[in-house]
Amino acid sequence: MTDVYPPEKRSAVMRQVKARNTTPELTVRKALTRLGARYRLHRKDLPGNPDIVLPGRRLALFVHGCFWHGHDCARGARVPKQNRDYWVGKVGRNRARDARAREALAALGWRVETVWECDLKDAGALAARLRALLAG
């Protein structure tokens, strides 16, 4: 079965997928701001360019989309029917890259946390988790 879009349209659709300032990332940033945290964004000098960095606390946060990073929730476990081999490889490479970045940051003495897209459904739980991270 072929793609529902011609190649030019598919390319345009995929170009619209953002890497920065995504809705999940903005949600986490707003929650941190409400808690009074001061942070920096996308530090290029750190392995993996963490989405949110709290330098004083040596805390690096990655905000991951469940599908793109292969989370074990319902949305992340879904594999597209079209071009299945490509997507399995793509998500596998993303997971390997994420693991390398976490290990490199930990080796430098940073605490590393991942906030998954599905974690954002419960705002109270997210606020409690962030509060605990800021305290610890």
Side-chain angles (χ1 to χ4, degrees):
M1 188 175 222
T2 60
D3 195 355
V4 295
Y5 294 127
E8 301 80 27
K9 174 69 174 175
R10 173 58 58 202
S11 183
V13 168
M14 292 306 289
R15 270 195 308 273
Q16 295 301 312
V17 177
K18 299 189 307 182
R20 293 181 174 196
N21 301 322
T22 61
T23 301
E25 188 179 320
L26 293 174
T27 302
V28 173
R29 286 163 38 185
K30 286 178 185 176
L32 284 169
T33 301
R34 276 193 295 274
L35 293 171
R38 307 294 289 165
Y39 53 84
R40 298 289 173 257
L41 302 175
H42 311 290
R43 290 259 313 257
K44 295 254 188 235
D45 61 329
L46 293 175
N49 300 341
D51 297 314
I52 301 169
V53 177
L54 294 96
R57 293 178 167 88
R58 304 266 312 160
L59 175 63
L61 295 175
F62 289 97
V63 183
H64 286 331
C66 294
F67 170 75
W68 297 102
H69 295 269
H71 192 221
D72 59 1
C73 68
R75 185 172 187 167
R78 184 179 62 84
V79 178
K81 293 177 184 172
Q82 301 298 318
N83 212 0
R84 185 177 186 83
D85 292 338
Y86 168 79
W87 287 109
V88 169
K90 168 82 173 149
V91 171
R93 289 188 305 274
N94 286 350
R95 290 181 67 136
R97 185 190 64 225
D98 295 341
R100 284 192 308 271
R102 289 180 65 87
E103 289 170 10
L105 283 165
L108 292 172
W110 287 82
R111 289 185 301 145
V112 183
E113 289 291 325
T114 300
V115 179
W116 293 97
E117 181 180 15
C118 61
D119 294 339
L120 305 179
K121 292 177 183 175
D122 186 351
L126 174 65
R129 179 178 176 197
L130 294 175
R131 196 173 298 112
L133 287 172
L134 294 175

